[in-house]
Amino acid sequence: MAVTRHPYTTGSGTRGMFLSLREEVEAALREALSALSLPTADLGIEEPPEDVPAVLASSVAFRLAGERGAPPPEVASEIAAEVDVGECAYVTDVSTQGPYLNFTPAEAYYADTLTAAGDAGYGRLPAREESVVVEHTSANPTGPMHVGRARNPIIGDAISRTLDLAGYDVSRHYYVNDAGRQIAVFTWAAETFDEADLPAPERARADYDLVRYYRKGSSFLEDASDTEREAAESEIEAIMQGLEAGDEETHERVGRVVDRMLAGMRFSLDRLPVTFDEFVPETRFMRNGNTETIATRLEEDDRAFLEDGAWQLDLTDYGIEKELVFLRSDGTSLYTTRDLAHHEWKFERFDRAVTVLGEGHMLQASQLQAALSILGNDTDQLTDVLYSHVNLPEGTMSTREGTGVDLDDLLDESIARAREEVEDRLETRIRDDALDDGDVARIAEQVGIGAVRYDIVSKQPSKAITFEWDRALDFEAQSAPYVQYVHARTCGILAEAGLLEEGSDATNDDPLGALDAIPGDERPAGNGSERSDAAIDVEGIDPAVLETPEERALLETIARFPAAIEAAAADLAPHTVATYTREIAEAFNVFYRECPVLEAPEEVREARLALVVAARHTVANALWALGVAAPESM
RNA sequence: GGGCGUGUGGCCUAGCGGAGAGGGCGAGAGGUUCCUAACCUCUAGACCGCGGGUUCGAAUCCCGUCACGCCCGCCA
């Protein structure tokens, strides 16, 4: 019996029909080329343009034309004649179109896709025995999160989710900078200045409260007289020395301020929602002596030298002109020295480490990699994902100077605009499902937050973004609501068919409850028990009745989802998942227009309902990977 | 000055060696007695910054050049 069902399934996930198809095509093509005594190094597998009725194609004939002494189309025919798809479960035919070989999927390709995507966990790849720690955000605890760095948690969280779906064992870390001069200044300022001399906080929250002291301290140091400054500097210096020496009282003083600040900042992150498995304090690596050990080990390297009393590392061997200072002349460590200890700690606990950081840290990051290598680590374990900061039209955003847009303000504004949108549409709404105030609030939250996240995650991190309100908060097509709407539409149909409990995600007054549509930190697991779901019995369904081009195109798009996750995980490129969501949303909308579901004849109706279920799972899980809510109604 | 990154229709963006360069916004024209029109269809608009090169084939690779961004602290 030919095994056509989930041939690559292990554990709870499946790699999907598209990847299976690709492997079959590769094998069949390789075999044909061998039979013709042609090289098989480059098979030229690619996805054909939209109007070509094939799922995969090959352009090998171009490359082999010279060797074969015949024009590419002729070589293509020759190869096609040799290809045997008899053993393939998912390929039914190979044909040529000029120099191209086109592979047509078999009926089982569509049938198995419909079955696989009937699982609520569709898109989850089989578990790998590989742990990854994703470090992201790690913003200095000196003030509220602002938009300039907002790409970090959003990209970092999407990478974490995508790796998770792809089968990795993922941990999310926030590395807390609770050492160093900035924090010493902050602690000194918080203990020194009087609340009465400060402006009112912008919000009643610890981070907005405390940042006033930090800003006050910074401006004081700029404007102070020499004697005032010297007095302040000696206190700041004392804090830094205390931290370096592992002094318990200093650590507590700093900790009080940092912990409060961080607790405040976490409110902003929770709204996205972005959460962490662990907050790793930088001082841990000073207190446990590892930073000191690192410095000692570095001193022993030939590339280390002492200049002006400071220990440095010559990194020209690694193509880095700028030497790395790892011990100041006063014997204290620097950020990178501690980060070295931090990374060795990560390497001991995880197979791989991914760090999401702003482009400004690039030199720093390459110095870190070089030094890690000198210390004998395998730096292939570490990958940096760099993003370009979000700037204002008038310049950069700065916590210290108080220039910039707070993330909270952006989210508030986005939700407010989304709410206006929902209310405007209420009047012309056709669907008879009587949204109540709770629904309006829920939808505004899901759409407002989703739009911000989607806007950021859908772009390549390396591209610069200049922040403009209207552009960031555009709810028109090619934004989160476009995709979210498709999910709501699938749910609408399923609810109408009695396959979904209507409004199941909308029945609470808790403002955070709106976030439940993202199954919290529960992952698409495969049992679908965490949320209302349409149980469809795929057994009695004949997928062959799904024969219109729109149905086929939608199924083909659904079939590619696991491959899209795999590629996004391999490249650490969640924006490609966003591109995918756009494609499936488009395919669904065309299907929706052309193919009535509920009014269709019995057999077609059942099959189309199964297709809607499959589309829903795919869209929901793709949005999950991006950290964008999937509303059941809007 | 050096290093890294980015340059795709008026604006934003995908594609990063192969089939007339996809989308979206904006502009123009249509579509709803029918599962939610936050939707769909059509039209106009691009010598993929510029100049060379490699290749059967370049937006994609290489070299040069220009523009913009970031970095070049005993800061983080």
Side-chain angles (χ1 to χ4, degrees):
Chain A
M1 182 182 91
V3 178
T4 59
R5 261 166 223 268
H6 301 216
Y8 295 95
T9 297
T10 57
S12 60
T14 169
R15 298 186 61 231
M17 304 317 124
F18 182 81
L19 291 170
S20 304
L21 175 78
R22 191 163 71 196
E23 282 163 20
E24 289 185 352
V25 165
E26 283 168 1
L29 190 54
R30 191 171 289 121
E31 217 169 292
L33 292 175
S34 298
L36 294 167
S37 307
L38 288 166
T40 58
D42 186 353
L43 298 174
I45 303 288
E46 59 190 77
E47 291 182 50
E50 235 173 277
D51 55 328
V52 174
V55 166
L56 277 179
S58 167
S59 59
V60 258
F62 280 115
R63 259 145 290 182
L64 271 23
E67 174 160 343
R68 217 49 184 165
E74 210 171 288
V75 177
S77 305
E78 207 179 338
I79 297 169
E82 193 62 36
V83 170
D84 177 16
V85 296
E87 294 294 300
C88 298
Y90 295 134
V91 188
T92 190
D93 186 39
V94 59
S95 60
T96 62
Q97 194 170 328
Y100 292 94
L101 289 156
N102 291 328
F103 295 86
T104 322
E107 197 52 34
Y109 183 69
Y110 298 97
D112 286 3
T113 295
L114 196 63
T115 306
D119 188 308
Y122 181 62
R124 168 162 294 285
L125 272 36
R128 311 171 198 243
E129 300 299 313
E130 197 171 349
S131 60
V132 186
V133 55
V134 178
E135 181 200 327
H136 68 84
T137 308
S138 302
N140 286 344
T142 51
M145 292 288 304
H146 63 69
V147 174
R149 307 240 186 294
R151 286 178 109 170
N152 203 320
I154 291 170
I155 292 168
D157 192 54
I159 287 175
S160 304
R161 288 163 174 271
T162 302
L163 287 172
D164 181 340
L165 258 195
Y168 293 93
D169 179 10
V170 178
S171 297
R172 302 134 199 246
H173 284 192
Y174 185 124
Y175 184 53
V176 183
N177 166 23
D178 59 345
R181 187 180 154 80
Q182 270 186 68
I183 294 303
V185 169
F186 180 27
T187 302
W188 158 78
E191 292 172 351
T192 303
F193 294 101
D194 198 329
E195 159 108 52
D197 299 330
L198 302 172
E202 288 169 41
R203 283 171 195 251
R205 232 174 58 191
D207 45 347
Y208 289 90
D209 173 31
L210 287 169
V211 74
R212 299 178 299 159
Y213 295 89
Y214 178 58
R215 287 179 183 147
K216 176 77 178 175
S218 298
S219 62
F220 176 89
L221 289 174
E222 270 176 39
D223 305 334
S225 67
D226 286 352
T227 49
E228 283 176 323
R229 184 171 19 243
E230 268 171 44
E233 287 292 353
S234 79
E235 287 192 51
I236 292 163
E237 176 69 14
I239 294 171
M240 287 179 71
Q241 291 288 352
L243 284 175
E244 192 73 22
D247 175 61
E248 208 46 51
E249 192 208 322
T250 309
H251 187 258
E252 269 172 39
R253 282 168 65 198
V254 171
R256 258 197 305 279
V257 177
V258 167
D259 288 350
R260 279 230 305 142
M261 174 60 83
L262 211 51
M265 295 168 75
R266 283 225 247 166
F267 277 95
S268 300
L269 294 168
D270 281 345
R271 294 181 70 185
L272 286 172
V274 167
T275 56
F276 294 88
D277 297 296
E278 196 171 345
F279 287 77
V280 182
E282 193 178 334
T283 46
R284 174 185 296 175
F285 305 101
M286 303 166 82
R287 285 148 64 84
N288 68 9
N290 286 6
T291 299
E292 208 179 322
T293 310
I294 290 280
T296 309
R297 283 163 62 200
L298 284 176
E299 283 173 17
E300 285 162 9
D301 191 86
D302 291 344
R303 282 157 286 214
F305 62 95
L306 191 60
E307 193 176 284
D308 302 329
W311 273 100
Q312 324 192 10
L313 208 50
D314 181 347
L315 297 176
T316 49
D317 287 356
Y318 292 84
I320 300 168
E321 291 307 313
K322 181 70 196 152
E323 63 282 358
L324 171 70
V325 179
F326 61 91
L327 275 186
R328 293 190 182 93
S329 48
D330 66 1
T332 58
S333 63
L334 288 98
Y335 178 85
T336 302
T337 324
R338 292 168 230 136
D339 209 16
L340 285 166
H342 172 217
H343 276 82
E344 287 202 335
W345 174 84
K346 284 200 227 177
F347 288 170
E348 277 169 31
R349 284 161 183 77
F350 303 95
D351 299 321
R352 281 178 61 196
V354 173
T355 314
V356 181
L357 65 176
E359 61 179 349
H361 292 75
M362 213 213 61
L363 175 64
Q364 173 87 236
S366 54
Q367 286 180 323
L368 180 82
Q369 292 241 15
L372 280 169
S373 169
I374 287 171
L375 288 167
N377 297 280
D378 173 12
T379 51
D380 288 346
Q381 290 177 88
L382 175 63
T383 313
D384 297 317
V385 175
L386 296 150
Y387 67 92
S388 180
H389 289 229
V390 178
N391 290 324
L392 293 168
E394 55 270 27
T396 59
M397 304 192 195
S398 156
T399 299
R400 184 164 45 79
E401 291 166 21
T403 58
V405 177
D406 291 322
L407 178 59
D408 287 304
D409 291 343
L410 174 61
L411 297 180
D412 285 351
E413 179 69 19
S414 187
I415 292 166
R417 292 194 192 194
R419 175 185 280 275
E420 266 177 59
E421 206 73 29
V422 178
E423 284 167 352
D424 284 354
R425 288 165 203 275
L426 230 36
E427 295 152 29
T428 53
R429 195 179 166 83
I430 296 170
R431 189 174 171 78
D432 178 31
D433 59 356
L435 297 179
D436 60 25
D437 290 352
D439 290 317
V440 172
R442 183 201 98 238
I443 295 165
E445 178 98 11
Q446 292 178 317
V447 169
I449 304 271
V452 169
R453 286 190 72 139
Y454 194 92
D455 181 60
I456 286 176
V457 82
S458 61
K459 295 182 170 90
Q460 290 193 51
S462 55
K463 293 225 181 202
I465 294 180
T466 301
F467 180 79
E468 285 162 58
W469 283 105
D470 289 338
R471 190 176 294 161
L473 301 181
D474 182 4
F475 299 145
E476 294 304 308
Q478 214 174 73
S479 66
Y482 177 72
V483 182
Q484 291 176 311
Y485 188 61
V486 164
H487 185 262
R489 273 182 154 175
T490 63
C491 293
I493 294 171
L494 297 175
E496 206 69 36
L499 292 167
L500 184 76
E501 248 183 79
E502 205 167 346
S504 52
D505 73 345
T507 52
N508 58 67
D509 301 321
D510 176 5
L512 285 177
L515 301 173
D516 289 349
I518 296 177
D521 275 334
E522 300 155 38
R523 312 158 323 180
N527 56 23
S529 61
E530 70 273 38
R531 63 180 171 215
S532 58
D533 192 35
I536 279 250
D537 185 10
V538 190
E539 289 308 311
I541 287 168
D542 180 10
V545 305
L546 301 172
E547 57 187 5
T548 67
E550 293 79 18
E551 290 164 310
R552 294 277 140 167
L554 180 54
L555 268 173
E556 283 170 15
T557 308
I558 291 169
R560 279 173 30 227
F561 180 48
I565 291 297
E566 175 144 299
D571 300 339
L572 302 175
H575 78 274
T576 60
V577 177
T579 304
Y580 176 81
T581 62
R582 213 177 295 136
E583 287 164 0
I584 189 172
E586 212 173 301
F588 184 84
N589 280 327
V590 173
F591 158 79
Y592 182 87
R593 176 172 49 86
E594 295 297 330
C595 307
V597 177
L598 300 173
E599 303 298 314
E602 180 62 16
E603 198 187 16
V604 177
R605 179 188 139 104
E606 290 308 307
R608 285 183 177 166
L609 277 171
L611 180 55
V612 171
V613 168
R616 181 194 171 202
H617 291 153
T618 308
V619 171
N621 292 339
L623 285 174
W624 183 88
L626 300 175
V628 173
E632 294 191 3
S633 68
M634 30 186 310

